[in-house]
Amino acid sequence: MTKVGRNDPCPCGSGKKYKKCCINKQNQVERKPIEPFFNHLSYEEVDELSTEQIIAQLKDLGVPFERDQFLKDIEEYYSAEDISEDWFSDYQLVIGGRMEDFPWLAASILWDRLAKPKNLSMEKMYQLIEDGYDCLGKDDPVSACDHWLKAWEGIKYRVSPVFQTLDYLEERYRGSFYVSEFCQNLEMELFNASLEDPTYLEIRIQYCQEFCRLFPSEDQNIMFNMRRAIADSYGSLKQFNEAEAAFEQLAKDFSDNLWTFIAWGDYYSEKQDRDIQKAKEKYEKALSIGKATNDADAFVVEERLESLEEYPF
């Protein structure tokens, strides 16, 4: 390694001469110099630095970083960007050019490295969700769900029993992703993943049960779809007692929803030992609800009844 001369630029990247900067600092942490070109730093560049190097660079920029305080902060903040913005405000940072994004990138990377495993920054969750969409673009719902289930763990970490809907999380993550949309997409993709790997049916049940328990006052359409997914999944797993119980409870709680009885009819129609009579009873119940409410989906029931007549066995 080339020795740094007293009049050479300091390797910390400050722009000062070595003799006027780090030469007299005791126990100086060796860091990789970051060249002061005026293109933005990348996450990957900062991630190449050790934790100690990142902290030392923050201190050189004017952030009196303390690990214990940072660990407290990431329990309260939702994004690394918010932490960075407060650093700029609290410590009156003046950082331009290529180093301007360093505090944000540093906060994001230190969060990933130092936080509890399920305490995910907004930036990390956004990346997991985007990675999932990339997998869906490659027709790989299993990998997509694996990414999204990690993001779900991050959401659960932030759940407060004081709130019983997604509204407060929607507000927190606004500008990054829509929590409600993500949760509904995860339920649907867990089904698609189960077509390749049936173990994802069990995961789907667990996920939907968690959602219903954590957000009991959420929008009724979302709750219905989660509850229906549980019943459907039990049926697909041939856990018939559990499926029957789930459909019976669904019928009590959503007695005026024709899709309750369509799903229940499908369950009887698609069972290994098809029960055509019970399937017909549920479809006819759905049809009566559809006609009474002028529901446009009533035609779906008529198609199913016709199918039973055509293929009774």
Side-chain angles (χ1 to χ4, degrees):
M1 182 175 181
T2 304
K3 183 178 179 179
V4 180
R6 289 173 58 83
N7 292 310
D8 290 339
C10 186
C12 75
S14 66
K16 299 178 182 178
K17 291 184 178 181
Y18 183 49
K19 68 181 180 182
K20 293 185 177 290
C21 192
C22 295
I23 193 170
N24 294 319
K25 290 185 179 180
Q26 298 297 318
N27 301 317
Q28 173 69 24
V29 177
E30 181 180 345
R31 64 177 64 80
K32 294 182 179 181
I34 301 177
E35 296 298 330
F37 298 126
F38 290 97
N39 55 312
H40 289 293
L41 279 171
S42 68
Y43 180 97
E44 290 73 20
E45 285 178 284
V46 180
D47 196 34
E48 289 180 358
L49 303 176
S50 70
T51 296
E52 290 73 19
Q53 288 170 334
I54 292 173
I55 292 173
Q57 185 70 66
L58 282 172
K59 290 181 176 180
D60 282 348
L61 292 172
V63 179
F65 184 93
E66 294 292 341
R67 187 180 296 239
D68 289 344
Q69 183 59 51
F70 183 73
L71 293 176
K72 292 179 182 178
D73 288 342
I74 60 179
E75 293 295 326
E76 298 178 8
Y77 287 78
Y78 280 69
S79 76
E81 184 176 16
D82 287 344
I83 292 178
S84 172
E85 287 180 356
D86 278 357
W87 283 345
F88 271 90
S89 175
D90 293 344
Y91 308 124
Q92 298 182 346
L93 303 183
V94 180
I95 305 172
R98 195 161 193 259
M99 295 298 292
E100 184 176 4
D101 286 340
F102 183 86
W104 176 26
L105 296 171
S108 182
I109 291 165
L110 291 175
W111 190 322
D112 290 347
R113 294 181 185 179
L114 303 178
K116 296 175 184 177
K118 294 181 181 180
N119 180 4
L120 306 180
S121 67
M122 183 187 298
E123 291 84 355
K124 181 67 173 181
M125 293 172 68
Y126 172 80
Q127 189 57 57
L128 286 168
I129 292 170
E130 288 300 299
D131 288 344
Y133 280 119
D134 288 343
C135 292
L136 291 181
K138 300 173 184 176
D139 295 323
D140 186 0
V142 169
S143 295
C145 287
D146 289 344
H147 287 298
W148 286 1
L149 287 167
K150 292 176 183 177
W152 171 240
E153 291 299 317
I155 289 175
K156 288 195 296 179
Y157 188 84
R158 293 295 185 174
V159 168
S160 170
V162 176
F163 305 99
Q164 297 195 339
T165 71
L166 292 170
D167 290 348
Y168 75 105
L169 290 176
E170 291 285 20
E171 181 66 26
R172 294 292 187 176
Y173 292 109
R174 180 176 296 176
S176 182
F177 62 93
Y178 293 102
V179 181
S180 175
E181 180 182 278
F182 163 74
C183 290
Q184 293 177 82
N185 287 344
L186 176 54
E187 179 271 307
M188 291 186 289
E189 292 307 327
L190 282 169
F191 170 74
N192 290 331
S194 74
L195 300 178
E196 298 183 17
D197 183 347
T199 61
Y200 281 83
L201 286 171
E202 294 281 3
I203 297 172
R204 187 185 187 210
I205 292 171
Q206 180 181 346
Y207 163 68
C208 292
Q209 288 175 335
E210 287 178 341
F211 182 94
C212 294
R213 184 175 67 254
L214 294 174
F215 308 107
S217 300
E218 186 47 55
D219 176 84
Q220 287 300 290
N221 287 329
I222 297 177
M223 295 298 287
F224 172 78
N225 289 332
M226 294 291 178
R227 296 269 300 277
R228 174 185 170 181
I230 293 170
D232 286 341
S233 296
Y234 277 133
S236 297
L237 287 167
K238 297 181 173 55
Q239 297 180 18
F240 300 127
N241 291 336
E242 291 83 353
E244 289 281 359
F247 277 118
E248 286 176 4
Q249 192 60 51
L250 194 66
K252 289 180 182 179
D253 296 338
F254 297 92
S255 59
D256 59 347
N257 189 325
L258 84 166
W259 281 100
T260 296
F261 298 95
I262 293 175
W264 205 350
D266 290 345
Y267 162 71
Y268 285 123
S269 176
E270 295 169 5
K271 279 179 62 177
Q272 188 171 2
D273 52 339
R274 299 178 74 201
D275 192 328
I276 300 302
Q277 185 56 40
K278 285 187 177 180
K280 185 176 181 180
E281 289 174 4
K282 302 307 177 187
Y283 287 150
E284 288 177 343
K285 174 66 174 178
L287 186 59
S288 68
I289 294 172
K291 288 181 177 179
T293 58
N294 293 317
D295 195 314
D297 287 336
F299 79 93
V300 175
V301 189
E302 294 173 343
E303 289 179 349
R304 280 167 164 76
L305 285 168
E306 291 175 3
S307 179
L308 285 181
E309 297 294 332
E310 294 176 9
Y311 306 101
F313 302 106

